[in-house]
């Protein structure tokens, strides 16, 4: 070994020992003829003091981030130089030999402090970025959570079972990354979006408790906080109901909280459970931020319909959000109206209950004093507050109000003092289907999610109807969109950590779902025939869930995005700046794969 101790190991108990340490020069200081070297590795920093008046060797040329091996004696620091904040703060090393193991070019950015650096530059030199304290701590915590996840499931009789990385193209929502099969020209594997079908087949095989920390891939359009490849904690169980899995999920997160973050307070235990309908009605999102108390929006449709404001009179739904601050027109336009219009809102009606000016706002003239009093009772608004409104269809109104609520939390700094709070909740009973912009039905979660028991006969009936070539009536489609699923999401501080469901284990029901999603019999057999075949051989009732490991680490470490907790992420345009990928490949390889690159028109 080139070292006897790490740079974070030596303490006052090691005084007088001859040791060898190795690492990077974190700081180099020359003071009064003395040279102080702070030598760093991932374990810590040790101060080395070179005194030319007593040294028996000449100090070699040393610069920041040079890699050194240093032999020396552990001695006590002078009393006035003891640093109680460092593991090694009571000692220093008196060197007897210093060897330069590697030099270092001038750095593109400093790594010994946390000064802001452009993200693309950090990603191009990620190996340097990972030397920084915060990045090192993120990597270590990710390792700890990964290892403890393995232990958690192992201690509960789960088996860690690996599923394939090359799988069949069976679209489940997102686009898939394609892998050409050289030995069968014109045919392809894809990289898995999740191990979903394999883990269900494992339930059929009798492996009743499966888990895996799996790499997953989705060819989605670049979006701020997404990555084309990510890691998820994936698990599945047989002979369980929804409550069993939710209890396991809560146990998992409480275990992680107590193990690694005991100083962070969990807002509510047991974790609150709310339906998707309530989450949308009160917060406008299916992943509500619950750290801010008494900041839900209110249903005011009946009262608003009676006002003289035409938009409110004609709207199916009117919602109101009370901000605990008086705002004027210019501030509302600048901070909120421009913001909400960017999401398709027609405008932002508002009222301010001003202490000095009374009731004012863009729609003040449309409400009588009596109606204002009734609005105050409905919303809890008082003098010194401002009320923001949205109106329209129920879902669109809720979604817009949800965006306004989150923006108000940010603008009003309502999370101040709550940064360490952990507000978990479950959201359950999501719609089984959603309607796309083209009017076609899609699976809200995925096509293997079981509907509520009371809706199964209806779903089967409509699926069989479509399989016979008939069409759904408008009323049938409307009723189908109201069917709820046995699904559940786990949410923390406004982020979805993971989602799962009880799965379909009835071949007829699974076939009906595929038909309702617009698949023909031929498409069903080509894409999912293997699953339906498997389901003919005794399928246990089963369900599961998957957590995003990247997001879990991000939230526990209080980072702004998941790129901060992934060692080698892609940038926001999904490029690997360190390797300069994606890149061209040799024409000979394309020929071997039977592929041709078609020219594309440039804008």
């Amino acid at each position: 070994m080139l070292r006897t101790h790490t740079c974070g190991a030596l303490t006052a108990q090691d005084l007088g020992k001859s040791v060898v340490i190795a690492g990077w020069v974190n700081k180099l200081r020359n003071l009064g003829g003395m040279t102080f070297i702070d030598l760093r590795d991932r374990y810590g920093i040790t101060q080395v003091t070179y005194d030319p008046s007593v040294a028996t060797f000449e100090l070699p040329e040393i610069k920041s981030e040079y890699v050194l091996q240093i032999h020396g004696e552990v001695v006590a620091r002078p009393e006035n130089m003891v640093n109680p904040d460092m593991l090694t703060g009571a000692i220093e090393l008196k060197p007897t030999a210093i060897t330069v193991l590697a030099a270092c070019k001038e750095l593109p950015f400093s790594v010994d402090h946390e000064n802001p650096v452009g993200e693309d530059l950090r990603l191009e030199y990620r190996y340097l970025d990972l030397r920084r304290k915060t990045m090192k701590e993120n990597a270590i915590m990710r390792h700890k959570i990964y290892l403890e996840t393995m232990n958690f499931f192992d201690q509960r009789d789960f088996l860690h079972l690996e599923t394939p990385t090359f799988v069949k193209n069976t679209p489940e929502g997102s686009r898939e990354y394609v892998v050409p099969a050289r030995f069968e020209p014109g045919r392809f594997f894809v990289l898995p979006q999740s191990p979903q079908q394999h883990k269900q087949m494992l339930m059929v095989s009798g492996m009743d408790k499966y888990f895996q920390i799996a790499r997953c891939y989705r060819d989605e359009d670049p979006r701020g906080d997404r990555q084309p490849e990510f890691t998820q904690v994936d698990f599945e169980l047989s002979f369980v109901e929804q409550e069993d899995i939710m209890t396991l999920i809560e146990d998992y997160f409480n275990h992680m909280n107590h193990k690694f973050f005991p100083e962070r307070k969990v807002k509510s235990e047991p974790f609150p459970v709310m339906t998707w309908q309530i989450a949308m009605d009160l917060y406008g999102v299916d992943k509500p931020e619950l750290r801010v108390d008494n900041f839900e929006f209110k249903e005011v449709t009946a009262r608003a319909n009676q006002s003289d404001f035409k938009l409110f009179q004609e709207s199916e739904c009117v919602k109101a959000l009370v901000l605990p601050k008086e705002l004027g027109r210019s501030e509302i336009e600048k901070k909120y109206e421009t913001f909400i219009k960017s999401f398709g809102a027609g405008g932002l009606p508002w009222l301010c209950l001003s202490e000095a000016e009374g009731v004012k706002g863009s729609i003040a003239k449309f409400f009588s004093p009596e109606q204002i009093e009734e609005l105050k009772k409905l919303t809890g608004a008082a003098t010194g507050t401002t009320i923001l409104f949205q109106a329209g269809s129920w879902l669109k109104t809720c979604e817009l109000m949800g965006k306004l609520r989150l923006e108000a939390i940010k603008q009003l700094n309502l999370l101040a003092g709550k940064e360490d709070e952990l507000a978990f909740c479950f959201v359950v009973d999501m719609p089984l289907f959603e309607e796309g912009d083209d009017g076609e039905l899609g699976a809200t979660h995925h096509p293997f999610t079981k509907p509520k028991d009371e809706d199964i006969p209806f779903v089967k009936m409509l699926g069989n109807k479509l399989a016979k070539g008939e069409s759904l009536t408008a009323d049938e489609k409307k009723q189908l969109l109201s069917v709820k699923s046995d699904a559940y999401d786990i949410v923390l501080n406004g982020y979805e950590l993971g989602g799962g469901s009880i799965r379909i284990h009835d071949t007829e029901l699974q076939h009906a779902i595929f038909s309702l999603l617009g698949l023909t019999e031929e498409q069903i057999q080509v894409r999912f025939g293997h699953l339906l075949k498997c389901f003919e051989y005794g399928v246990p009732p089963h369900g599961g869930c998957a957590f995003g490991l990247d997001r879990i680490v991000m939230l526990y470490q209080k980072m702004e995005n998941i790129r901060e907790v992934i060692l080698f992420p892609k940038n926001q345009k999904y490029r690997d700046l360190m390797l300069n990928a994606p890149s061209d490949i040799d024409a000979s390889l394309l020929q071997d794969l039977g592929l041709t690159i078609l020219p594309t028109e440039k804008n």
Side-chain angles (χ1 to χ4, degrees):
M1 292 288 287
L2 296 182
R3 63 185 177 187
T4 61
H5 295 76
T6 68
C7 293
L10 299 171
T11 68
Q13 293 181 348
D14 299 297
L15 292 176
K17 287 183 180 180
S18 292
V19 301
V20 184
I21 61 175
W24 289 260
V25 175
N26 194 62
K27 283 185 180 177
L28 189 67
R29 306 183 304 281
N30 292 291
L31 299 172
M34 306 271 282
T35 300
F36 296 91
I37 304 167
D38 287 348
L39 200 68
R40 182 195 74 242
D41 62 13
R42 77 171 172 94
Y43 304 94
I45 294 175
T46 295
Q47 179 174 284
V48 180
T49 303
Y50 176 82
D51 184 348
S53 67
V54 297
T56 59
F57 66 97
E58 187 175 340
L59 189 68
E61 181 184 13
I62 297 172
K63 294 182 180 179
S64 178
E65 296 303 307
Y66 272 36
V67 183
L68 307 182
Q69 181 193 54
I70 302 179
H71 294 68
E73 179 187 352
V74 181
V75 299
R77 288 195 190 193
E79 191 172 335
N80 64 340
M81 295 182 66
V82 170
N83 185 346
D85 296 328
M86 290 179 63
L87 294 172
T88 60
I91 61 93
E92 62 186 14
L93 201 64
K94 179 182 176 182
T96 57
I98 296 179
T99 304
V100 176
L101 299 177
C104 179
K105 290 175 60 175
E106 184 177 347
L107 298 176
F109 53 85
S110 177
V111 299
D112 66 344
H113 52 68
E114 301 293 317
N115 286 352
V117 180
E119 186 179 60
D120 279 358
L121 186 62
R122 290 174 56 205
L123 293 179
E124 182 181 352
Y125 295 94
R126 190 61 157 189
Y127 40 83
L128 297 180
D129 192 40
L130 290 170
R131 294 182 187 177
R132 303 201 321 167
K133 183 174 182 290
T134 297
M135 297 304 297
K136 178 191 73 174
E137 290 173 348
N138 289 346
I140 292 172
M141 183 51 67
R142 184 186 178 103
H143 155 77
K144 289 180 178 180
I145 291 174
Y146 189 112
L147 191 61
E148 196 59 32
T149 296
M150 298 286 283
N151 293 334
F152 175 88
F153 284 101
D154 176 65
Q155 290 164 5
R156 288 158 179 79
D157 293 330
F158 282 77
L159 299 176
H160 186 273
L161 303 171
E162 295 178 321
T163 54
T165 302
F166 287 5
V167 298
K168 181 180 179 178
N169 170 237
T170 58
E172 297 172 18
S174 302
R175 283 188 299 273
E176 296 165 316
Y177 283 100
V178 175
V179 180
R182 180 181 56 81
F183 49 86
E184 290 192 36
R187 293 194 169 186
F188 302 87
F189 293 108
V190 299
L191 302 181
Q193 297 183 42
S194 77
Q196 183 62 45
Q197 294 181 56
H198 281 96
K199 68 179 180 178
Q200 290 191 248
M201 290 173 156
L202 283 170
M203 298 302 103
V204 179
S205 75
M207 303 292 183
D208 64 326
K209 287 186 173 183
Y210 143 94
F211 85 105
Q212 181 181 191
I213 301 181
R215 297 292 282 176
C216 302
Y217 310 86
R218 293 182 185 171
D219 186 13
E220 299 177 310
D221 292 336
R223 287 164 59 184
D225 202 24
R226 296 287 178 93
Q227 285 284 297
E229 54 179 316
F230 55 95
T231 306
Q232 69 182 34
V233 179
D234 196 65
F235 63 94
E236 198 85 2
L237 306 86
S238 295
F239 308 113
V240 290
E241 298 175 307
Q242 179 173 305
E243 292 75 15
D244 301 314
I245 299 175
M246 289 168 60
T247 298
L248 179 67
I249 293 169
E250 186 162 346
D251 287 347
Y252 171 85
F253 284 105
N254 277 329
H255 181 79
M256 294 299 164
N257 300 340
H258 297 148
K259 178 82 176 180
F260 299 122
F261 308 98
E263 75 286 355
R264 299 189 68 178
K265 181 190 174 196
V266 175
K267 184 177 175 66
S268 301
E269 292 188 78
F271 297 169
V273 179
M274 69 179 74
T275 64
W276 175 86
Q277 184 86 18
I278 289 175
M280 295 302 296
D281 229 11
L282 298 180
Y283 305 102
V285 289
D286 55 8
K287 46 188 178 185
E289 167 62 86
L290 298 181
R291 284 178 290 177
V292 182
D293 293 317
N294 304 314
F295 200 56
E296 303 86 14
F297 35 82
K298 307 296 183 182
E299 169 64 50
V300 296
T301 306
R303 179 55 53 215
N305 285 163
Q306 297 173 11
S307 72
D308 293 333
F309 187 38
K310 188 176 181 181
L311 173 64
F312 285 2
Q313 291 173 346
E314 298 173 348
S315 292
E316 168 195 334
C317 176
V318 184
K319 297 279 188 181
L321 178 67
V322 179
L323 308 189
K325 180 183 178 182
E326 284 189 29
L327 298 178
R329 180 175 61 83
S330 62
E331 189 173 3
I332 285 178
E333 288 178 353
K334 180 181 177 181
K335 293 183 177 178
Y336 297 102
E337 186 167 13
T338 301
F339 167 80
I340 202 62
K341 281 183 175 180
S342 70
F343 294 100
L348 182 59
W350 62 280
L351 292 171
C352 178
L353 309 182
S354 170
E355 189 168 354
E357 303 173 64
V359 179
K360 63 177 184 177
S362 63
I363 56 172
K365 65 182 180 181
F366 299 109
F367 287 84
S368 67
E370 293 76 20
Q371 290 173 325
I372 292 292
E373 288 303 312
E374 291 179 13
L375 264 182
K376 288 166 69 174
K377 290 178 183 177
L378 279 175
T379 62
T383 301
T385 63
T386 303
I387 312 174
L388 307 181
F389 298 88
Q390 283 295 297
S393 68
W394 176 80
L395 184 58
K396 185 67 174 176
T397 299
C398 290
E399 289 174 341
L400 290 172
M401 288 299 291
K403 294 183 185 302
L404 277 173
R405 178 179 182 271
L406 291 175
E407 184 64 13
I409 288 173
K410 175 183 169 184
Q411 293 288 348
L412 300 174
N413 198 24
L414 298 182
L415 291 175
K418 299 176 182 288
E419 293 84 359
D420 283 337
E421 198 168 82
L422 299 171
F424 289 93
C425 76
F426 287 105
V427 176
V428 301
D429 299 353
M430 283 75 96
L432 186 66
F433 296 103
E434 59 188 6
E435 189 173 18
D437 295 336
D438 57 1
E440 296 296 317
L441 290 176
T444 302
H445 192 206
H446 56 54
F448 316 111
T449 299
K450 187 177 81 66
K452 291 292 184 183
D453 287 341
E454 60 269 23
D455 292 317
I456 289 176
F458 175 68
V459 171
K460 282 185 176 181
M461 180 193 74
L462 293 190
N464 292 333
K465 183 177 180 180
L466 287 184
K468 293 175 184 176
E470 302 176 38
S471 300
L472 301 184
T473 66
D475 285 344
E476 286 172 336
K477 186 174 182 180
K478 182 178 180 181
Q479 187 176 347
L480 192 62
L481 287 168
S482 70
V483 170
K484 299 297 187 286
S485 62
D486 258 340
Y488 35 86
D489 286 348
I490 177 68
V491 176
L492 171 61
N493 294 356
Y495 289 88
E496 178 192 329
L497 290 181
S501 66
I502 299 299
R503 321 301 187 190
I504 296 167
H505 68 281
D506 175 344
T507 306
E508 182 187 355
L509 176 60
Q510 186 65 78
H511 195 285
I513 294 288
F514 290 147
S515 296
L516 289 167
L517 292 173
L519 299 180
T520 65
E521 183 61 31
E522 181 181 2
Q523 290 172 323
I524 291 171
Q525 293 305 322
V526 168
R527 296 184 186 181
F528 301 105
H530 55 277
L531 187 66
L532 296 175
K533 177 181 176 181
C534 173
F535 277 18
E536 294 173 350
Y537 292 94
V539 190
H542 60 285
C545 188
F547 310 139
L549 181 67
D550 311 309
R551 186 147 288 157
I552 290 172
V553 180
M554 179 192 88
L555 289 173
Y556 275 137
Q557 292 294 96
K558 294 187 276 192
M559 294 292 108
E560 292 295 320
N561 65 69
I562 61 172
R563 294 183 296 281
E564 298 297 311
V565 299
I566 298 173
L567 290 181
F568 299 106
K570 309 299 182 283
N571 72 355
Q572 294 191 56
K573 296 180 179 179
Y574 285 9
R575 286 198 58 81
D576 184 330
L577 299 179
M578 188 177 68
L579 300 182
N580 193 24
S583 59
D584 296 330
I585 60 174
D586 291 340
S588 60
L589 180 55
L590 289 174
Q591 186 174 358
D592 288 344
L593 296 172
L595 298 177
T596 301
I597 304 297
L598 298 177
T600 56
E601 293 184 8
K602 294 184 178 180
N603 294 328

